[in-house]
Amino acid sequence: MRFAVIVFPGSNCDVDMYHAIKDELGEEAEYVWHDENDLSEFDGILLPGGFSYGDYLRSGSIAHFSNVMAEVKKAAEQGKPVLGVCNGFQILLEAGLLPGAMKRNEGLKFKCEPASLKVVNAKTPFTSGYTENQVISVPIAHGEGNYFCDELTLKSLTENNQIVFTYSENPNGSLEDIAGIVNERGNVLGMMPHPERAVDSMLGSADGLALFQSIVKNWREAHVTTS
Amino acid sequence: MYKVKVYVSLRESILDPQGNAVKNALHSMSYGEVQDVRIGKYMELMIEKTDRPLEETVKEMCEKLLANTVIEDYRFEAEEVVVQ
């Protein structure tokens, strides 16, 4: 499976993402600069964390007007898996690929620590390698991870089973302890915690690896036919 | 040429932790009369005259980029200025 790791000016988790795919998962990965306008050769799209455009104005707000984002939207419409982590999640929100908005952490502190996450929905292409309600450890590192949406949106997120990860102990004030959500179709996941930083027990946790393995497994099942 | 002042702030219903921190600091400085502090952004746009109505253009800019209307409100005022 071939992954694009989108690089914006200010992305700083792109190397971690690339390492996770290439070295730990053993799949193909390629860095794609933000002004590229063709993602057709890729099977999965990864928006890494960092501070795209310095987070000027609001996190993710400027990145969403990059050339490549039109292609990311196209890939999402085609049903390709799109994963946004941290700043990548913020970009997906600003781009309207996922509903809601991100506020500053409730305590105003930048939080950088391992977080316990509950897998609320293990039926997405990103989480099928986990079990429902499994608790995993994945690090967070953000100052604006306080997820917010209006009541109507929250209702539809809940009813459609779009809340994928919740925090066991809410670190940032997020509504309903939300740590990650998918779109209605289930092929776009945004999450604040960094699964790409939890792919080897040497890093403190390898719990994030199953997320990437799930993407590959589901893609293979859909695309590779055995004779 | 127009000078457009754009004010973006968190919507009233949204808790403003930055504003709260500043309010608490003011209280600790014994300005107990401060009831609330809201922190926002202020932007100045210098915009050339075009055929399009200015209000419409600025509104579009605010809704597309300058404010995130899920959590933020915006308002703006425009004045015509002479550029030397």
Side-chain angles (χ1 to χ4, degrees):
Chain A
M1 189 174 173
R2 195 141 186 248
F3 288 93
V5 177
I6 311 293
V7 184
F8 297 97
S11 294
N12 65 9
C13 300
D14 43 347
V15 181
D16 299 289
M17 195 68 100
Y18 184 91
H19 164 79
I21 301 299
K22 197 95 172 174
D23 305 322
E24 303 289 347
L25 196 66
E27 297 292 323
E28 282 183 63
E30 211 171 290
Y31 295 116
V32 177
W33 189 231
H34 68 100
D35 59 3
E36 289 290 329
N37 41 31
D38 185 10
L39 291 175
S40 56
E41 59 185 296
F42 296 99
D43 309 309
I45 315 295
L46 306 167
L47 300 174
F51 297 86
S52 56
Y53 297 88
D55 274 358
Y56 295 158
L57 196 62
R58 290 181 313 278
S59 308
S61 62
I62 300 178
H64 108 252
F65 291 103
S66 295
N67 269 354
V68 81
M69 284 309 293
E71 283 295 302
V72 174
K73 282 183 192 171
K74 206 190 281 177
E77 280 160 21
Q78 288 165 348
K80 290 183 185 177
V82 176
L83 168 68
V85 169
C86 200
N87 194 241
F89 185 11
Q90 293 162 340
I91 295 169
L92 291 175
L93 293 173
E94 286 284 340
L97 282 166
L98 291 172
M102 217 49 95
K103 301 189 293 171
R104 291 197 59 178
N105 291 352
E106 203 167 61
L108 290 177
K109 282 188 180 148
F110 189 97
K111 290 286 192 120
C112 184
E113 59 199 26
S116 282
L117 301 183
K118 190 161 97 174
V119 182
V120 182
N121 180 354
K123 291 190 184 73
T124 76
F126 304 92
T127 50
S128 57
Y130 300 106
T131 52
E132 208 91 357
N133 295 327
Q134 185 181 344
V135 175
I136 58 173
S137 174
V138 177
I140 55 165
H142 58 249
E144 291 185 33
N146 182 350
Y147 178 80
F148 175 83
C149 65
D150 60 34
E151 272 176 45
L152 215 63
T153 309
L154 179 64
K155 194 165 171 273
S156 77
L157 285 178
T158 313
E159 283 173 1
N160 299 328
N161 226 353
Q162 285 173 254
I163 300 169
V164 175
F165 296 112
T166 54
Y167 299 107
S168 302
E169 278 174 54
N170 195 330
N172 51 31
S174 270
L175 195 69
E176 299 288 311
D177 305 325
I178 287 173
I181 55 169
V182 282
N183 61 348
E184 258 182 74
R185 188 171 173 181
N187 67 313
V188 178
L189 170 67
M191 62 190 293
M192 286 315 289
H194 289 267
E196 80 285 5
R197 291 191 193 172
V199 288
D200 189 321
S201 51
M202 199 174 72
L203 299 169
S205 167
D207 290 351
L209 195 58
L211 188 146
F212 298 105
Q213 287 166 337
S214 304
I215 302 176
V216 175
K217 186 169 176 280
N218 285 290
W219 182 83
R220 291 238 158 89
E221 282 170 2
H223 291 88
V224 182
T225 48
T226 47
S227 52
Chain B
M1 186 76 90
Y2 294 102
K3 180 175 184 172
V4 179
K5 299 174 177 177
V6 181
Y7 303 88
V8 177
S9 52
L10 284 174
R11 292 170 71 163
E12 282 300 322
S13 56
I14 306 275
L15 187 76
D16 178 357
Q18 258 181 305
N20 274 351
V22 172
K23 182 181 77 180
N24 292 339
L26 288 168
H27 284 179
S28 68
M29 291 160 73
S30 75
Y31 297 109
E33 64 268 42
V34 177
Q35 290 296 298
D36 195 21
V37 178
R38 308 287 292 175
I39 291 183
K41 288 174 208 148
Y42 168 68
M43 296 166 232
E44 277 183 10
L45 277 55
M46 298 299 290
I47 303 181
E48 266 178 24
K49 271 190 182 179
T50 64
D51 294 340
R52 284 190 68 188
L54 180 77
E55 288 247 331
E56 194 183 288
T57 315
V58 178
K59 193 166 179 278
E60 208 176 279
M61 290 178 196
C62 286
E63 300 201 346
K64 278 189 177 170
L65 178 67
L66 304 180
N68 180 336
T69 53
V70 179
I71 50 170
E72 291 172 330
D73 282 330
Y74 67 88
R75 64 187 175 85
F76 57 86
E77 39 199 64
E79 57 174 313
E80 201 165 349
V81 291
V82 180
V83 181
Q84 302 290 333

